[in-house]
Amino acid sequence: MPLFHRRHVWLPTRWGWLLLAAVLLGGGVGLVAFAPSYLATTEPAHGADGRGARVLVVEGWLADSELDQAVTAFRRGRYERIVTSGGPIELWVGVPVPWQTYAERGARYLAAHGLADASITAVPAPSSMQERTYQSAVAVRDWAAQTRTRLDAVDLFTVGVHARRSRMMFRAAFGPTTAVGVIAARPRDFDPQRWWATSAGSKLVLGEMISLGWTACCFWPPAPPAEAPSP
């Protein structure tokens, strides 16, 4: 009985290698050029009546400069209420803080920086080591159900390349009955047009691309509860 046998192996020719290199180079150029704009999408919800969302959900962990942009977005829109989201604050650069959760922190900051006259509600999420954005979305969804706040359309305010995946998580939590838009603030840590030039930009863009891919293929949230009929 023979112990070995011959097989034919197909390998690229010189031109084949050049074509493969060109494809990889083109993919790299496309990644550099289009990844930030794809991830950092801004698409406000239209709403059933075409007038847009009335509720702006702001992620409370955003930096101060990014929350300042949320103030501007609220003033420019037709929003009637702000809801801030986020879980417990476990560490804040090693110093004591006056807030228990990022939701509370965001609400206080917005009220103190131009939105004192706005209706702002902090909706904390429970502590979680994973899928914290999804848990925050579920907390907002449950708060709306408990307070009988109708959410036909909401806009999510987040930052930069987090936008597309954050909207995906909120859509998964709210289900098809709520139109979820998103507004991406400009990040403070790097220039989105030159994200590869800094460590912070590279980590965020590449990390969000991987996370978005994993979320799209491997994250299966439970179905949102059916809306209770109005009394």
Side-chain angles (χ1 to χ4, degrees), residues 149-170:
T149 301
R150 191 169 185 86
L151 296 181
D152 296 321
V154 300
D155 281 341
L156 172 65
F157 192 93
T158 185
V159 60
V161 296
H162 295 282
R164 186 169 291 274
R165 185 166 62 93
S166 292
R167 180 180 62 177
M168 182 183 294
M169 291 296 189
F170 270 75

Side-chain angles (χ1 to χ4, degrees), residues 141-142 145 173-177 222-230:
R141 181 196 71 195
D142 293 347
F174 280 94
T177 60
E227 186 177 354
S230 302

Side-chain angles (χ1 to χ4, degrees), residues 88-106:
I89 298 177
E90 299 175 353
L91 178 65
W92 188 275
V93 295
V95 299
V97 294
W99 329 286
Q100 296 294 320
T101 66
Y102 286 105
E104 181 186 358
R105 180 250 172 183

Side-chain angles (χ1 to χ4, degrees), residues 9 24 27 46 68 115 138 142 170 187 208:
V9 178
L24 293 176
H46 293 292
D68 290 337
L115 295 181
V138 169
D142 293 347
F170 270 75
E208 280 297 325

